[in-house]
Amino acid sequence: LNTNEGIGVGMATNIPSHNLTEVGNAVIALLENKKIELSEILEHIKGPDFPTAAQIISSKDEIEKVYKEGRGSFRLRAKYFIENPGTKHWKLIFNELPFGVSVKQILEEIDSIFNPEDKLKKDAKGKDKKISPEQDRLKKLFLSSIDNFADESDKKNPLRLVIEPKSFKQDPEELASILLGTTSLESNFSANFV
Protein backbone atom coordinates (compact mmCIF):
# COMPACT_ATOMS: atom_id res chain seq x y z
CA LEU A 1 0.00 0.00 0.00
CA ASN A 2 2.79 2.42 0.86
CA THR A 3 5.78 3.08 -1.33
CA ASN A 4 8.53 0.59 -0.45
CA GLU A 5 12.03 1.32 -1.59
CA GLY A 6 15.23 -0.32 -0.49
CA ILE A 7 18.18 -2.58 -1.08
CA GLY A 8 19.67 -5.40 0.92
CA VAL A 9 21.50 -8.71 0.51
CA GLY A 10 22.01 -8.02 -3.18
CA MET A 11 18.33 -7.37 -3.97
CA ALA A 12 16.61 -4.05 -4.58
CA THR A 13 12.94 -3.14 -4.47
CA ASN A 14 10.94 -0.10 -5.52
CA ILE A 15 7.22 -0.75 -5.11
CA PRO A 16 4.88 2.23 -5.67
CA SER A 17 1.99 2.99 -3.33
CA HIS A 18 -1.47 1.64 -4.16
CA ASN A 19 -5.03 2.57 -3.28
CA LEU A 20 -6.36 0.80 -0.16
CA THR A 21 -9.83 0.17 -1.59
CA GLU A 22 -8.46 -1.22 -4.87
CA VAL A 23 -6.03 -3.56 -3.05
CA GLY A 24 -8.78 -4.66 -0.64
CA ASN A 25 -11.12 -5.49 -3.52
CA ALA A 26 -8.33 -7.41 -5.28
CA VAL A 27 -7.63 -9.44 -2.12
CA ILE A 28 -11.35 -10.28 -1.78
CA ALA A 29 -11.41 -11.37 -5.44
CA LEU A 30 -8.33 -13.56 -4.81
CA LEU A 31 -9.95 -15.14 -1.72
CA GLU A 32 -13.06 -15.93 -3.76
CA ASN A 33 -11.09 -17.39 -6.70
CA LYS A 34 -7.68 -18.92 -5.97
CA LYS A 35 -7.02 -19.34 -9.73
CA ILE A 36 -7.65 -15.70 -10.55
CA GLU A 37 -5.75 -14.31 -13.57
CA LEU A 38 -3.64 -11.16 -13.46
CA SER A 39 -6.02 -9.44 -15.87
CA GLU A 40 -8.85 -10.03 -13.35
CA ILE A 41 -6.74 -8.62 -10.49
CA LEU A 42 -6.05 -5.54 -12.62
CA GLU A 43 -9.79 -4.95 -12.96
CA HIS A 44 -9.53 -3.94 -9.31
CA ILE A 45 -6.02 -2.45 -9.17
CA LYS A 46 -5.81 0.10 -11.99
CA GLY A 47 -2.18 0.97 -11.25
CA PRO A 48 -0.18 2.82 -8.59
CA ASP A 49 -1.80 5.55 -6.52
CA PHE A 50 0.90 8.17 -5.98
CA PRO A 51 0.41 10.74 -3.19
CA THR A 52 1.31 13.62 -5.51
CA ALA A 53 -1.69 12.76 -7.74
CA ALA A 54 -0.03 13.38 -11.12
CA GLN A 55 -1.38 11.47 -14.12
CA ILE A 56 -0.12 8.02 -15.04
CA ILE A 57 0.10 8.18 -18.83
CA SER A 58 1.37 4.64 -19.42
CA SER A 59 -1.03 2.57 -21.50
CA LYS A 60 -3.11 -0.21 -19.93
CA ASP A 61 -0.89 -2.77 -21.70
CA GLU A 62 2.30 -1.14 -20.35
CA ILE A 63 0.87 -1.14 -16.82
CA GLU A 64 -0.14 -4.81 -17.10
CA LYS A 65 3.36 -5.70 -18.36
CA VAL A 66 4.96 -4.12 -15.26
CA TYR A 67 2.74 -6.19 -12.95
CA LYS A 68 3.25 -9.36 -15.00
CA GLU A 69 7.05 -9.10 -15.17
CA GLY A 70 7.50 -7.52 -11.72
CA ARG A 71 9.59 -4.66 -13.07
CA GLY A 72 9.33 -1.79 -15.49
CA SER A 73 8.34 1.84 -15.33
CA PHE A 74 5.24 3.97 -15.09
CA ARG A 75 5.20 7.21 -17.11
CA LEU A 76 3.98 10.15 -15.00
CA ARG A 77 2.90 13.61 -16.11
CA ALA A 78 2.19 16.76 -14.12
CA LYS A 79 -1.32 18.18 -14.17
CA TYR A 80 -1.90 21.79 -15.09
CA PHE A 81 -4.62 24.24 -15.98
CA ILE A 82 -4.78 27.58 -17.76
CA GLU A 83 -5.66 30.51 -15.53
CA ASN A 84 -7.60 33.32 -17.24
CA PRO A 85 -7.81 31.50 -20.61
CA GLY A 86 -8.33 33.66 -23.68
CA THR A 87 -7.13 36.88 -22.01
CA LYS A 88 -3.96 38.94 -22.19
CA HIS A 89 -3.04 37.75 -18.72
CA TRP A 90 -3.29 33.96 -18.98
CA LYS A 91 -0.88 31.79 -17.03
CA LEU A 92 -0.02 28.12 -17.01
CA ILE A 93 -0.47 26.66 -13.51
CA PHE A 94 0.98 23.28 -12.57
CA ASN A 95 -0.79 21.96 -9.47
CA GLU A 96 0.24 18.27 -9.38
CA LEU A 97 3.74 16.88 -9.98
CA PRO A 98 5.06 13.39 -10.69
CA PHE A 99 6.02 11.40 -7.61
CA GLY A 100 9.53 12.29 -6.45
CA VAL A 101 9.65 15.62 -8.30
CA SER A 102 9.66 18.92 -6.42
CA VAL A 103 8.80 22.47 -7.43
CA LYS A 104 12.37 23.45 -6.53
CA GLN A 105 13.72 20.83 -8.95
CA ILE A 106 11.51 22.12 -11.79
CA LEU A 107 12.52 25.73 -11.12
CA GLU A 108 16.20 24.71 -11.18
CA GLU A 109 15.72 22.82 -14.45
CA ILE A 110 14.01 25.82 -16.09
CA ASP A 111 16.70 28.15 -14.77
CA SER A 112 19.47 25.90 -16.09
CA ILE A 113 17.88 26.03 -19.55
CA PHE A 114 17.71 29.84 -19.40
CA ASN A 115 21.28 30.03 -18.09
CA PRO A 116 23.16 26.97 -19.40
CA GLU A 117 26.56 28.56 -18.85
CA ASP A 118 25.97 28.39 -15.07
CA LYS A 119 26.23 24.60 -15.32
CA LEU A 120 29.35 24.51 -17.52
CA LYS A 121 32.77 23.34 -16.44
CA LYS A 122 36.13 24.52 -17.60
CA ASP A 123 37.96 22.58 -20.27
CA ALA A 124 41.44 21.05 -19.79
CA LYS A 125 43.10 24.44 -20.43
CA GLY A 126 40.95 26.25 -17.85
CA LYS A 127 38.81 28.07 -20.42
CA ASP A 128 35.02 28.17 -20.19
CA LYS A 129 33.40 25.62 -22.45
CA LYS A 130 30.91 26.93 -24.96
CA ILE A 131 27.31 25.85 -24.67
CA SER A 132 26.25 23.09 -27.02
CA PRO A 133 23.99 23.72 -30.02
CA GLU A 134 21.19 21.84 -28.19
CA GLN A 135 21.58 24.04 -25.09
CA ASP A 136 21.53 27.12 -27.32
CA ARG A 137 18.39 25.91 -29.14
CA LEU A 138 16.56 25.22 -25.86
CA LYS A 139 17.63 28.57 -24.40
CA LYS A 140 16.26 30.43 -27.45
CA LEU A 141 13.04 28.42 -27.30
CA PHE A 142 12.54 29.26 -23.62
CA LEU A 143 13.46 32.93 -24.12
CA SER A 144 10.84 33.21 -26.87
CA SER A 145 8.17 31.32 -24.90
CA ILE A 146 8.48 32.12 -21.19
CA ASP A 147 8.37 35.56 -19.60
CA ASN A 148 8.42 34.54 -15.95
CA PHE A 149 8.22 31.44 -13.74
CA ALA A 150 7.62 31.24 -10.00
CA ASP A 151 6.60 29.06 -7.08
CA GLU A 152 3.40 30.58 -5.66
CA SER A 153 2.63 27.69 -3.32
CA ASP A 154 1.03 28.67 -0.02
CA LYS A 155 -1.45 27.33 2.55
CA LYS A 156 -4.38 27.82 0.19
CA ASN A 157 -2.53 26.32 -2.81
CA PRO A 158 -0.08 23.67 -1.55
CA LEU A 159 1.39 23.32 -5.04
CA ARG A 160 1.24 26.20 -7.49
CA LEU A 161 3.99 26.46 -10.10
CA VAL A 162 3.22 29.47 -12.30
CA ILE A 163 4.55 29.92 -15.83
CA GLU A 164 3.82 33.24 -17.56
CA PRO A 165 4.06 33.30 -21.37
CA LYS A 166 6.12 35.75 -23.38
CA SER A 167 3.03 36.54 -25.47
CA PHE A 168 -0.66 36.03 -24.78
CA LYS A 169 -1.03 35.02 -28.45
CA GLN A 170 0.96 31.86 -27.69
CA ASP A 171 -0.86 28.55 -27.58
CA PRO A 172 -1.00 27.47 -23.89
CA GLU A 173 -0.98 23.78 -24.83
CA GLU A 174 2.16 24.31 -26.93
CA LEU A 175 3.89 26.00 -23.98
CA ALA A 176 2.84 23.13 -21.69
CA SER A 177 4.18 20.64 -24.23
CA ILE A 178 7.56 22.41 -24.31
CA LEU A 179 7.82 22.27 -20.50
CA LEU A 180 6.67 18.65 -20.27
CA GLY A 181 9.21 17.61 -22.90
CA THR A 182 12.23 19.40 -21.43
CA THR A 183 11.80 19.09 -17.65
CA SER A 184 10.84 16.51 -15.04
CA LEU A 185 7.20 17.61 -15.32
CA GLU A 186 6.99 14.36 -17.26
CA SER A 187 9.09 11.53 -15.87
CA ASN A 188 9.27 7.81 -15.12
CA PHE A 189 8.86 5.87 -11.90
CA SER A 190 10.91 2.68 -12.12
CA ALA A 191 9.20 -0.18 -10.33
CA ASN A 192 10.76 -3.39 -9.06
CA PHE A 193 8.41 -5.73 -7.21
CA VAL A 194 11.06 -7.87 -5.47
Side-chain angles (χ1 to χ4, degrees), residues 6-187:
I7 188 166
V9 295
M11 292 184 290
T13 190
N14 197 20
I15 302 173
S17 58
H18 287 79
N19 180 281
L20 174 61
T21 302
E22 290 179 2
V23 171
N25 290 336
V27 169
I28 291 168
L30 176 63
L31 290 171
E32 292 173 350
N33 176 10
K34 301 285 187 209
K35 296 180 180 181
I36 195 167
E37 297 289 326
L38 176 61
S39 60
E40 295 172 282
I41 292 284
L42 294 181
E43 288 175 14
H44 300 285
I45 298 176
K46 307 297 184 194
D49 185 18
F50 294 104
T52 54
Q55 304 173 40
I56 297 174
I57 59 171
S58 299
S59 71
K60 189 175 179 179
D61 290 340
E62 291 169 329
I63 291 171
E64 184 172 352
K65 184 178 178 188
V66 173
Y67 287 108
K68 184 177 182 177
E69 295 179 0
R71 62 179 48 216
S73 64
F74 298 99
R75 191 92 180 127
L76 307 175
R77 180 182 289 163
K79 287 188 180 177
Y80 64 90
F81 64 93
I82 300 152
E83 190 173 81
N84 305 319
T87 69
K88 290 185 178 183
H89 303 290
W90 67 266
K91 299 175 184 178
L92 202 57
I93 312 295
F94 287 89
N95 58 348
E96 294 179 13
L97 296 179
F99 183 71
V101 175
S102 68
V103 173
K104 180 183 176 193
Q105 177 184 347
I106 299 299
L107 292 174
E108 288 172 355
E109 289 174 358
I110 294 171
D111 186 58
S112 72
I113 292 171
F114 271 112
N115 303 299
E117 44 281 336
D118 291 349
K119 304 296 180 196
L120 295 178
K121 297 179 180 176
K122 306 237 182 229
D123 65 14
K125 296 180 181 178
K127 293 182 182 177
D128 288 336
K129 290 183 179 177
K130 294 181 180 177
I131 63 174
S132 72
E134 178 62 16
Q135 287 173 309
D136 188 47
R137 185 191 68 76
L138 276 176
K139 180 177 180 174
K140 287 176 181 172
L141 178 63
F142 271 51
L143 285 171
S144 67
S145 303
I146 299 172
D147 186 45
N148 194 19
F149 56 98
D151 178 7
E152 294 183 1
S153 304
D154 56 22
K155 287 182 181 179
K156 186 178 174 186
N157 302 292
L159 199 159
R160 184 177 165 88
L161 173 59
V162 179
I163 310 293
E164 295 180 31
K166 191 67 115 177
S167 166
F168 73 92
K169 294 178 184 176
Q170 232 175 308
D171 179 9
E173 295 300 329
E174 187 177 307
L175 178 57
S177 181
I178 290 169
L179 289 160
L180 291 167
T182 57
T183 67
S184 296
L185 288 168
E186 188 170 301
S187 57

